[in-house]
């Protein structure tokens, strides 16, 4: 299950086959013999021989090509097993910075270079200023074939990303900030067990938003965080707040035989990301001074680098670093006990203040209200110029429209004509939401856009919500779901195929 073999049809170029590995969480045991747990770290080397016309790349600090199309790789820093990754395909590279290059199939390389030239170094420099040295040498990005099921995978030295990030206007480049942030939180300081995945993702979300604040300003970061909070709300509404997976410390039962136990992949959801972010934000709130908390994060990375740790290690170090907070007993303030954060499911007891984002949210809220009205006030609508809005402001606007859907008859058609920037967008975040709005409003004239989007990519985060929306809708949308799945199933990752089959009642 770890090694994904793609036929030419599943690639962007559609000429040659492609192979990649995806180790997280516990799949690398099917690729090479290893202690397949994040609690063990090691260095590695590999020799890979591939056919002529193909290139191999790995998550390694150094590599060289030898004769007979043989590639030799070395990772000189200790990493957990899940971060070892290999790709073999028709791929080429282009430099985009002093320590970064992009890799992609030949038909995508120009778009990748144009989108990311000079961008990565800016983010790395800010990350180093905030969290300490970048220890991995290079930071390269590999644009995967469209069937890659994830947004990104933070393999050290070589992040794998979805080609959905090639929006053509740099509107999604900040997504890479999340993967860059893993260079410190996750890759350097790692959760010792998958039951405390929030140590990787909660700290990375916090780090991502710190870098984003430095680069784009606080209002924009608050707007992006509000989008994340809305996803957490949707997830908890769907599963029920009391679901045991809505704890930060998840109990993953070990397998005593082949068919028992919990697969850590099945525990993956918004909670470790967004509730984890809220807990790290709460720790920063307790400190009360951003520069002091930034200094703590640097000390934390320095103290635990190249180690795998538990939440008890993290919180113990926090109280040791701030003895005055330990003396105050901040770990047991009623309603905000550290133990409650870790072991009680449900909505975060503390939410960071996102009000600086209001200057961007308010116009989007007001515009969504106008479009949801029975009689459209076109004068008021036309007075709002959305051409200058950045991606997450448009995303926030569409989220509000979706919440208010179905809109009064005819409104969505008018909205579609009025904003081709949205209804004809190539940006995947906008396409996802526009497709959800089409389905919620039974806009049959635009059903082809849903099918086109699902045929263009196989990212889990986009694919599953659309199948859920189709299956929860009318007879027509259910038929669309079946028709689209039968056409696109072969290009999807096997896990995504199985999740969709479950939604459509096919297993």
């Amino acid at each position: 299950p770890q090694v994904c073999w793609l036929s030419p049809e599943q690639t962007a170029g559609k000429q040659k086959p492609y192979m990649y590995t995806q180790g997280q969480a516990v799949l690398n045991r099917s690729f090479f013999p290893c202690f397949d747990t994040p609690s063990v770290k090691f260095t590695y080397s590999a020799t890979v021989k591939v056919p002529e016309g193909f290139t191999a790349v790995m998550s390694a600090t150094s590599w060289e090509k030898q004769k007979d199309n043989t590639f030799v790789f070395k990772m000189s820093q200790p990493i957990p097993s899940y971060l070892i990754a290999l790709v073999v395909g028709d791929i080429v590279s282009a430099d985009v910075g002093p320590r970064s290059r992009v890799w992609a199939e030949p038909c995508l390389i120009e778009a990748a270079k144009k989108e990311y030239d000079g961008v990565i170094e800016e983010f790395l420099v800010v990350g180093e200023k905030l969290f300490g040295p970048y220890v991995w040498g290079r930071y390269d990005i590999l644009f995967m074939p469209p069937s890659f099921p994830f947004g990104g995978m933070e393999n050290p030295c070589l992040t794998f990303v979805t080609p959905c990030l090639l929006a053509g206007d740099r509107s999604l480049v900040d997504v890479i900030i999340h993967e860059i942030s893993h260079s410190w939180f996750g890759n350097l300081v790692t959760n010792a067990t998958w039951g405390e995945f929030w140590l990787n993702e909660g700290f990375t979300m916090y780090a991502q938003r710190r870098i984003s604040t430095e680069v784009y300003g606080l209002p924009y970061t608050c707007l992006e965080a509000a989008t994340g909070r809305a996803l957490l709300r949707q997830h908890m509404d769907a599963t029920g707040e009391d679901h045991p997976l809505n704890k930060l410390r998840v109990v993953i039962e070990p397998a005593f035989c082949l068919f028992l136990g919990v697969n850590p992949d099945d525990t993956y959801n918004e909670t470790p990301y967004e509730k984890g972010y809220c807990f790290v934000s709460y720790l920063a709130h307790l400190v009360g001074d951003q520069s002091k908390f930034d200094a703590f994060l640097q000390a934390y990375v320095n103290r635990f680098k190249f180690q795998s740790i538990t939440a008890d290690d993290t919180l113990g170090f926090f109280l040791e670093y701030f003895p005055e907070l330990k003396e105050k007993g901040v770990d047991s303030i009623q309603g905000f006990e550290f133990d409650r954060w870790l072991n009680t499911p449900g909505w975060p007891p503390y939410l960071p203040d996102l009000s600086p984002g209001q200057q961007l949210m308010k116009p989007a809220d007001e515009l969504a209200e106008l479009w949801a009205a029975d009689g459209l006030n076109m004068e008021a609508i036309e007075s709002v110029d959305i051409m200058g809005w950045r991606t997450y402001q448009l995303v926030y606007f569409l989220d509000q429209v979706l919440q208010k859907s179905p809109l009064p008859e005819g409104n969505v058609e008018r909205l579609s004509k009025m904003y081709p920037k949205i209804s004809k967008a190539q940006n995947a975040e906008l396409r996802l939401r526009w497709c959800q709005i089409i389905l919620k409003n039974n806009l049959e004239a635009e059903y082809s856009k849903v099918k086109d989007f699902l045929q263009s990519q196989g990212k889990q985060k986009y694919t599953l919500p659309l199948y859920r929306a189709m299956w929860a809708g009318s007879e027509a949308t259910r038929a669309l779901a079946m028709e689209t799945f039968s056409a696109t199933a072969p290009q999807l990752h096997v896990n995504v195929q199985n999740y969709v089959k479950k939604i459509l009642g096919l297993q």
Side-chain angles (χ1 to χ4, degrees), residues 77-377:
Q77 313 279 30
I79 59 171
S81 56
Y82 76 90
L83 289 175
I84 293 183
L86 166 69
V87 160
V88 179
D90 178 16
I91 51 174
V92 291
S93 67
D95 286 338
V96 290
R99 47 184 160 170
S100 302
R101 63 173 73 95
V102 287
W103 291 87
E105 292 178 63
C107 61
L108 291 179
I109 196 69
E110 276 311 310
K113 184 176 180 353
K114 189 175 161 200
E115 198 93 353
Y116 281 86
D117 208 6
V119 168
I120 295 167
E121 187 61 22
E122 180 185 10
F123 298 154
L124 283 173
V125 167
V126 176
E128 287 187 302
K129 185 183 89 175
L130 290 169
F131 315 121
Y134 177 77
V135 303
W136 306 100
R138 295 200 64 79
Y139 186 90
D140 290 359
I141 303 179
L142 174 60
F143 288 89
M144 300 293 280
S147 56
F148 185 59
F150 309 106
M153 180 61 216
E154 65 272 14
N155 305 307
C157 310
L158 186 69
T159 284
F160 292 5
V161 293
T162 171
C164 293
L165 295 192
L166 298 175
D169 58 2
R170 296 196 163 187
S171 57
L172 290 179
V173 293
D174 47 337
V175 174
I176 209 69
I177 300 176
H178 182 86
E179 308 308 332
I180 285 173
S181 299
H182 272 303
S183 305
W184 293 273
F185 305 98
N187 296 5
L188 197 52
V189 182
T190 308
N191 49 230
T193 76
W194 292 117
E196 295 191 328
F197 185 43
W198 77 273
L199 286 174
N200 278 17
E201 295 300 348
F203 274 89
T204 294
M205 291 305 299
Y206 187 86
Q208 169 197 325
R209 287 168 181 158
R210 279 296 294 119
I211 294 175
S212 174
T213 299
E214 295 289 308
V215 176
Y216 298 118
L218 189 57
Y220 183 73
T221 303
C222 288
L223 176 65
E224 185 274 323
T227 307
R229 189 179 293 177
L231 289 173
L232 181 65
R233 184 70 270 165
Q234 280 172 26
H235 160 71
M236 289 208 176
D237 287 346
T239 57
E241 285 197 15
D242 291 338
H243 194 288
L245 293 184
N246 291 333
K247 296 190 289 193
L248 291 181
R249 184 181 274 154
V250 175
V251 179
I252 298 178
E253 296 294 341
F256 295 107
C257 79
L258 196 57
F259 304 109
L260 296 177
V262 174
N263 183 338
D265 279 346
D266 294 337
T267 69
Y268 173 88
N269 61 53
E270 298 294 337
T271 298
Y273 291 79
E274 294 296 344
K275 188 174 179 179
Y277 165 71
C278 289
F279 189 20
V280 180
S281 300
Y282 176 63
L283 298 177
H285 164 74
L286 289 173
V287 173
D289 179 312
Q290 187 64 63
S291 59
K292 280 186 184 169
F293 192 71
D294 288 346
F296 159 74
L297 290 175
Q298 278 213 29
Y300 170 71
V301 169
N302 196 44
R303 167 72 177 79
F304 293 114
K305 62 187 175 191
F306 302 116
Q307 295 179 52
S308 300
I309 63 171
T310 65
D312 292 340
D313 296 323
T314 299
L315 298 171
F317 181 71
F318 175 78
L319 294 172
E320 182 189 309
Y321 189 87
F322 295 109
E324 68 283 8
L325 293 180
K326 184 177 185 176
E327 214 170 291
K328 276 190 199 167
V330 294
D331 55 333
S332 50
I333 297 170
Q334 194 170 356
F336 301 94
E337 300 90 345
F338 288 0
D339 184 75
R340 176 183 171 176
W341 273 103
L342 295 176
N343 298 309
T344 306
W347 195 244
Y350 168 87
L351 295 171
D353 174 23
L354 302 182
S355 60
Q358 277 303 321
Q359 67 187 73
L360 299 173
M361 289 183 227
K362 195 163 177 264
D365 277 324
E366 288 169 352
L367 187 60
E369 283 288 344
L370 289 169
W371 279 107
D374 272 329
L376 289 178
N377 180 346

Side-chain angles (χ1 to χ4, degrees), residues 2 6 18 30 45 51 84 153 160 167 169 188 197 226 284 329 333 348 352 369 375 392 429 456 460 469 472 496:
Q2 203 280 349
L6 305 185
Y18 195 103
S30 71
S45 60
I84 293 183
M153 180 61 216
F160 292 5
D169 58 2
L188 197 52
F197 185 43
I333 297 170
E369 283 288 344
Y392 277 104
E429 293 288 329
S456 74
Q460 189 171 303
V496 180

Side-chain angles (χ1 to χ4, degrees), residues 48-96:
V48 185
K49 185 175 180 184
V50 301
E52 281 301 323
F54 290 85
T55 298
V57 289
M58 289 191 81
S59 52
T61 41
S62 70
W63 67 280
E64 61 171 305
K65 184 178 178 182
Q66 299 181 340
K67 60 180 192 297
D68 299 333
N69 227 29
T70 297
F71 296 81
V72 177
F73 301 94
K74 282 194 176 71
M75 169 49 85
S76 55
Q77 313 279 30
I79 59 171
S81 56
Y82 76 90
L83 289 175
I84 293 183
L86 166 69
V87 160
V88 179
D90 178 16
I91 51 174
V92 291
S93 67
D95 286 338
V96 290

Side-chain angles (χ1 to χ4, degrees), residues 162 164-165 167 172 425-434 453 457 459 462:
T162 171
C164 293
L165 295 192
L172 290 179
Q426 288 309 298
N427 178 308
E429 293 288 329
L430 298 179
R431 286 178 83 180
L432 165 68
R433 286 160 176 87
W434 185 243
F453 183 47
Q457 54 76 43
K459 186 178 168 184
Y462 301 147

